[in-house]
Amino acid sequence: MAELNESRFQSFGRVTPPAKKAVSAADAIALLTSGGAGRETLLAHGNGRSYGDTCLNAAGAVVDMRSLARIRSFNTETGLLEADAGTLLADIIAHAAPFGFFPSVVPGTQFVTLGGAIANDVHGKNHHRRGTFGCHVESFTLLRSDGQEHTCSEVQNARLFWATIGGMGLTGLILSATIRLMRVPSLDVMETVTRFGNLAEYFDLAEAADQANEYAVAWIDQLAGGRHQGRGLLFTGNHAEQGTHDALKPDGRLSVPFQPPITVLNRPFLKMFNTAYRWKKGRVADPRTVGYQGFFFPLDGVRDWNRLYGPAGLYQHQRVVSGEAAREAVPALLAAAKRAGQGSFLTVLKRFGSVRSPGILSFPRPGYTLTLDFPNRGQKTLQLLAELDRITVAVGGAVNPYKDARMSGETFVASFPDWRRLEAVRDPAFLSSFWARTAQRLGPQRGGLAEAAE
């Protein structure tokens, strides 16, 4: 089995070492279909946009899925698209846009693979209307270490279907999938930016904004203090009735060409950036037409922007709390970061709706989700993240695993009490560093391939 250059198989946060061993998709498929799996564990690796270690497998090998990138079919009447698991969302957008279709759910980057979007059950700015990515998966083909390809849907191998959506790659190798795209009048977005002076104002605006718009997300000036504490901008949007159907090449006009020796995202820089960003983005109150890439994927325009955090990398912390708890928990989370003297370059607050995902380990649930990211400053940062975990769990919230690189097994269990349902159908030939660090330290009680079959 040919091995690949492991150094390029790493997580986006870069706080954990890159993969120790990587193999091609073709070699992994040959191994699984021949019944030779089992000597070492495998894990699919898409485009490395997960921030933590859910895309890594320190105990075995990662499988490079990017060679499987073919769009197999597209029905221009229904919006059903079938593609290989390694296909980027950027390519799906470009293929479907001329026919008036767009993915029903997109995360904050278009550089994720189809398989990765399913495995992490990603969410977007329209969860209140469309739910997660998994809500729009019609079916997929899953190769397991029994050597068989399993067609999975809500009516066929349903248990594997539910476990694989949001299952972080642990049920086998997704080879291809069929998803439902939504019809849109154009790719462009009619965007409205509303300033709010504090978090109470945001919470008063959020539900009505969701009811009136397809997309809604808020940016918080995390470092603002005094009477400005909790101020920010609420971005709402709907696809423009008159706009383009031409997808732009997502090549990134700007780039961070080298790794600075230390993080440049220090507190003085962040205060200056936040002030400038609030002024620039919030100065136009009237609706305006913006391009889809700037609205959905603003950071995709800067290649390798994670290098700005320095050689130690970054931690991203995302959590969700119920609507009842949010008015107290969100200010408490921001206050904890401020007390620790750590500034977040990206601070995003969104309202999740009640659309339920078919995935048993899906992260979104009704309430509010807050995302913060911090340069890795060692123990100081780890202590802050543990405190953010504590605040979240204390109010019955959950921490996002595919943004994580250090949560404890106890935090994971509190966030996902049904985790054993995934463990029961996890393919024994598949493992991630995250699962080894959390679930596997909590005890056995697992099933296997026979238990997964229907």
Side-chain angles (χ1 to χ4, degrees):
M1 181 180 292
E3 296 184 16
L4 306 174
N5 178 12
E6 300 88 352
S7 63
R8 64 189 176 97
F9 296 95
Q10 59 182 13
S11 71
F12 200 69
R14 300 183 302 117
V15 294
T16 52
K20 295 178 181 178
K21 183 177 181 181
V23 299
S24 70
D27 282 343
I29 291 170
L31 180 69
L32 291 166
T33 54
S34 68
R39 291 187 294 273
E40 64 179 356
T41 55
L42 301 171
L43 183 75
H45 189 281
N47 205 33
R49 283 322 194 255
S50 295
Y51 282 81
D53 54 1
T54 57
C55 63
L56 299 174
N57 181 17
V62 296
V63 181
D64 182 7
M65 299 299 293
R66 288 175 294 180
S67 62
L68 302 181
R70 177 179 48 138
I71 294 178
R72 299 183 171 205
S73 66
F74 179 53
N75 187 316
T76 59
E77 297 296 324
T78 64
L80 281 178
L81 180 143
E82 182 184 10
D84 291 344
T87 307
L88 293 178
L89 289 191
D91 296 326
I92 292 175
I93 292 170
H95 189 88
F99 304 98
F101 285 92
F102 190 76
S104 301
V105 174
V106 293
T109 174
Q110 61 195 313
F111 298 132
V112 297
T113 62
L114 175 57
I118 295 171
N120 293 302
D121 198 14
V122 297
H123 58 270
K125 298 176 175 66
N126 59 348
H127 183 273
H128 56 282
R129 288 198 176 179
R130 311 286 174 177
T132 64
F133 194 90
C135 294
H136 307 277
V137 175
E138 190 81 3
S139 63
F140 52 79
T141 300
L142 186 72
L143 177 61
R144 285 167 64 87
S145 62
D146 59 5
Q148 301 298 311
E149 292 186 8
H150 302 262
T151 299
C152 303
S153 69
E154 290 189 335
V155 296
Q156 188 174 4
N157 292 310
R159 196 168 177 218
L160 280 176
F161 183 76
W162 300 328
T164 302
I165 295 175
M168 296 175 282
L170 296 170
T171 60
L173 213 59
I174 301 174
L175 300 181
S176 64
T178 299
I179 59 173
R180 298 181 298 272
L181 307 186
M182 68 176 179
R183 191 176 290 279
V184 295
S186 75
L187 289 180
D188 294 335
V189 175
M190 187 64 69
E191 177 190 72
T192 301
V193 183
T194 304
R195 292 190 182 209
F196 53 87
N198 53 55
L199 288 172
E201 285 186 26
Y202 163 75
F203 287 121
D204 291 341
L205 292 169
E207 186 171 355
D210 282 358
Q211 291 176 353
N213 298 280
E214 175 74 29
Y215 304 105
V217 65
W219 168 83
I220 306 294
D221 182 355
Q222 183 249 341
L223 294 178
R227 62 187 180 91
H228 300 302
Q229 187 170 5
R231 70 181 182 183
L233 302 171
L234 174 61
F235 296 86
T236 55
N238 299 280
H239 285 277
E241 293 297 326
Q242 302 295 325
T244 182
H245 287 90
D246 298 326
L248 302 174
K249 185 179 180 181
D251 53 0
R253 290 167 291 178
L254 303 174
S255 68
V256 181
F258 63 90
Q259 172 71 73
I262 60 172
T263 177
V264 300
L265 301 179
N266 51 39
R267 195 174 184 87
F269 171 85
L270 291 177
K271 287 184 72 71
M272 180 177 64
F273 172 84
N274 285 356
T275 300
Y277 184 82
R278 186 173 185 272
W279 176 83
K280 180 180 180 181
K281 291 291 187 178
R283 73 181 191 274
V284 179
D286 296 331
R288 59 175 183 168
T289 302
V290 299
Y292 76 97
Q293 292 202 11
F295 184 82
F296 295 109
F297 319 117
L299 286 175
D300 282 355
V302 182
R303 294 194 305 274
D304 301 317
W305 63 265
N306 54 343
R307 290 178 176 176
L308 294 172
Y309 286 82
L314 74 140
Y315 286 101
Q316 186 168 102
H317 193 283
Q318 183 177 33
R319 80 291 295 157
V320 57
V321 296
S322 69
E324 295 76 17
R327 288 182 181 257
E328 293 186 6
V330 172
L333 291 161
L334 294 173
K338 197 168 184 181
R339 283 195 307 271
Q342 301 229 28
S344 168
F345 177 48
L346 296 173
T347 304
V348 177
L349 183 58
K350 287 188 298 192
R351 180 177 175 271
F352 283 152
S354 58
V355 182
R356 188 178 179 86
S357 168
I360 59 176
L361 247 63
S362 183
F363 165 70
R365 57 207 72 183
Y368 290 85
T369 178
L370 176 69
T371 304
L372 301 161
D373 57 25
F374 306 101
N376 177 18
R377 295 192 170 96
Q379 193 59 33
K380 179 181 179 181
T381 305
L382 292 174
Q383 289 174 351
L384 167 61
L385 296 172
E387 174 65 6
L388 299 180
D389 286 353
R390 187 196 64 77
I391 295 170
T392 300
V393 170
V395 296
V399 180
N400 192 345
Y402 63 84
K403 300 290 183 75
D404 174 72
R406 39 86 256 159
M407 81 164 79
S408 68
E410 290 71 25
T411 296
F412 173 62
V413 170
S415 300
F416 299 91
D418 288 341
W419 69 273
R420 291 194 189 278
R421 293 177 60 195
L422 172 59
E423 176 66 3
V425 296
R426 179 177 66 84
D427 192 308
F430 285 77
L431 184 65
S432 69
S433 295
F434 172 86
W435 202 253
R437 176 170 57 82
T438 56
Q440 282 206 327
R441 294 185 179 180
L442 298 169
Q445 295 186 19
R446 57 165 313 215
L449 289 172
E451 190 175 346
E454 293 188 353

